[in-house]
Amino acid sequence: KPGEQKHPKEPSSLQCMHLAVVACGDRLEETLIMLKSAVLFSNRRLCFHIFAEDSLKPEFEKKLKEWPSSYTKKFESNIYPITFSVGNAQEWKKLFKPCAAQRLFLPVILKDVDSLLYVDTDVLFLRPIDDIWHLLREFNSTQLAAMAPEHEIPKIGWYSRFARHPYYGTTGVNSGVMLMNLTRIRSTQFKNSLIPGGLTWEEMLYPLYQKYKNYITWGDQDLLNIIFYFNPECLYVFPCQWNYRPDHCMYGSNCRGAEEEGVSILHGNRGVYHDDKQPTFRALYEVIRDFPFEDNLFQSLYYPLQSKFLDTVHTLCGRIPQVFLKQIEKTMKKVYENRVIVYLGANHRY
């Protein structure tokens, strides 16, 4: 309209919710199921940043193209080789699991990305990524990353019992789900145990690894704990339902947030999607894996999930099915309502 002020178009990097994952070895299927859970429920457009071994790249490209167009239009994907910008690449590759240390280099590699959600391959989204993405707005002026505690109860926590290096807070943090403001990370001088002054993220990584390499068990997660031990004001801690692991239910239920709201992000670490140790985790993984994209969510996802859960009620985690089902049921209702509203709107005639 004449005289109407035009707002500048939001740059595509801001329109996108950026999701990064690192896949090596036999993690192709697991990564694809994680990406599928992200696309199934999210509202805003997604930008996937997949760091993968060269042998996996063609498979990722092929499989993602096979998804129906109603889903492929919701995301764009970039696949990158595994690279380490400082230090010895072979050493970094051997740290904990193959390639896991790649996540430490995301601020350096993705120079044009402002904010990012990094997840391990064994993560499943049970609600829209939009909801965890909104937590970026809750960061105060010094916070530049967000993670969940490794444990809620210090006496059963790994770090509080066994760590031989500094770690964040009373129980340490788990890096399987990590929200990052990369712009802030790149521009911050971090306090450290190496020199009296500050160091940039990139300057700090390799010397820090050299100093602590004989004391760390969980690789890059331990390095992150060391960094945030010296810079606690830089970390925003989100509750355990955003990174819910078998540890939260196998010793009795110890994630209050999940009991109240349900699990938001499931993290099936230690291979529990693929063995019989935690049937509840496996049930969720298999139902999302087997869900035919275009089918009815309740019929082909929620009802099979409910019946699979009935077989797990004798297990420690299966005793609390509402924790696993509450959030995903809520999410599916919303997705269904949105589709109905869009459909009615498109067919409405005045």
Side-chain angles (χ1 to χ4, degrees), residues 136-170:
L136 285 162
R137 296 181 194 159
E138 294 187 19
F139 284 17
N140 67 23
S141 60
T142 60
Q143 289 165 338
L144 44 75
M147 288 185 270
E150 174 69 18
H151 272 283
E152 282 23 73
I153 303 166
K155 68 171 187 254
I156 59 167
W158 193 91
Y159 284 105
S160 39
R161 290 185 297 160
F162 306 117
R164 296 188 296 146
H165 58 78
Y167 57 88
Y168 177 87
T170 53

Side-chain angles (χ1 to χ4, degrees), residues 35-319:
L35 297 172
K36 183 180 185 181
S37 72
V39 171
L40 275 181
F41 302 131
S42 292
N43 302 313
R44 264 174 71 187
R45 187 170 174 73
L46 292 159
C47 288
F48 295 149
H49 301 275
I50 303 164
F51 290 81
E53 287 175 308
D54 295 343
S55 57
L56 294 180
K57 187 181 175 184
E59 276 299 294
F60 270 116
E61 287 171 342
K62 177 174 166 273
K63 297 282 185 195
L64 290 170
K65 278 190 188 122
E66 287 170 3
W67 289 2
S69 62
S70 56
Y71 287 92
T72 55
K73 69 182 183 195
K74 289 176 72 176
F75 70 88
E76 59 190 67
S77 58
N78 294 293
I79 302 170
Y80 309 82
I82 303 292
T83 50
F84 303 99
S85 62
V86 290
N88 180 322
Q90 286 313 310
E91 261 189 298
W92 284 121
K93 269 192 176 162
K94 287 181 199 145
L95 182 63
F96 191 46
K97 287 181 183 158
C99 316
Q102 181 71 76
R103 91 182 86 184
L104 297 171
F105 294 88
L106 297 177
V108 181
I109 299 167
L110 301 174
K111 284 187 165 53
D112 297 331
V113 176
D114 174 61
S115 294
L116 177 85
L117 177 64
Y118 164 85
V119 293
D120 285 348
T121 58
D122 50 12
V123 151
L124 291 170
F125 293 96
L126 306 188
R127 68 191 283 182
I129 289 186
D130 310 58
D131 297 342
I132 190 167
W133 194 256
H134 288 155
L135 296 180
L136 285 162
R137 296 181 194 159
E138 294 187 19
F139 284 17
N140 67 23
S141 60
T142 60
Q143 289 165 338
L144 44 75
M147 288 185 270
E150 174 69 18
H151 272 283
E152 282 23 73
I153 303 166
K155 68 171 187 254
I156 59 167
W158 193 91
Y159 284 105
S160 39
R161 290 185 297 160
F162 306 117
R164 296 188 296 146
H165 58 78
Y167 57 88
Y168 177 87
T170 53
T171 58
V173 280
N174 183 283
S175 60
V177 179
M178 186 176 178
L179 195 57
M180 293 182 260
N181 182 321
L182 299 184
T183 304
R184 285 187 181 181
I185 289 174
R186 285 187 285 263
S187 63
T188 297
Q189 293 281 318
F190 291 88
K191 297 190 288 293
N192 59 83
S193 58
L194 305 162
I195 62 164
L199 288 169
T200 67
W201 186 265
E202 193 173 13
E203 286 168 344
M204 177 174 57
L205 288 179
Y206 194 60
L208 205 62
Y209 165 63
Q210 287 298 324
K211 179 170 180 175
Y212 290 104
K213 65 181 177 185
N214 296 325
Y215 305 99
I216 57 180
T217 306
W218 307 112
D220 47 313
Q221 176 172 294
D222 290 347
L223 287 177
L224 289 164
N225 266 284
I226 294 164
I227 290 168
F228 290 111
Y229 168 83
F230 289 106
N231 300 272
E233 73 287 353
C234 293
L235 191 66
Y236 176 99
V237 178
F238 50 68
C240 46
Q241 66 265 31
W242 293 105
N243 184 351
Y244 190 90
R245 305 182 310 283
D247 287 356
H248 288 118
C249 48
M250 60 196 272
Y251 308 115
S253 184
N254 63 63
C255 174
R256 193 173 295 156
E259 286 168 34
E260 289 164 10
E261 288 183 29
V263 174
S264 297
I265 295 179
L266 194 73
H267 183 182
N269 61 345
R270 305 201 194 109
V272 294
Y273 295 147
H274 314 291
D275 61 29
D276 298 321
K277 287 179 187 150
Q278 300 296 341
T280 39
F281 281 75
R282 187 170 178 168
L284 264 156
Y285 178 80
E286 289 178 350
V287 165
I288 292 174
R289 179 193 67 194
D290 299 340
F291 173 68
F293 270 106
E294 302 286 20
D295 271 26
N296 177 296
L297 279 168
F298 278 98
Q299 216 171 309
S300 304
L301 202 151
Y302 190 66
Y303 298 135
L305 190 56
Q306 275 188 317
S307 60
K308 269 183 187 268
F309 263 80
L310 288 174
D311 301 332
T312 73
V313 290
H314 62 285
T315 66
L316 281 168
C317 292
R319 287 173 313 149

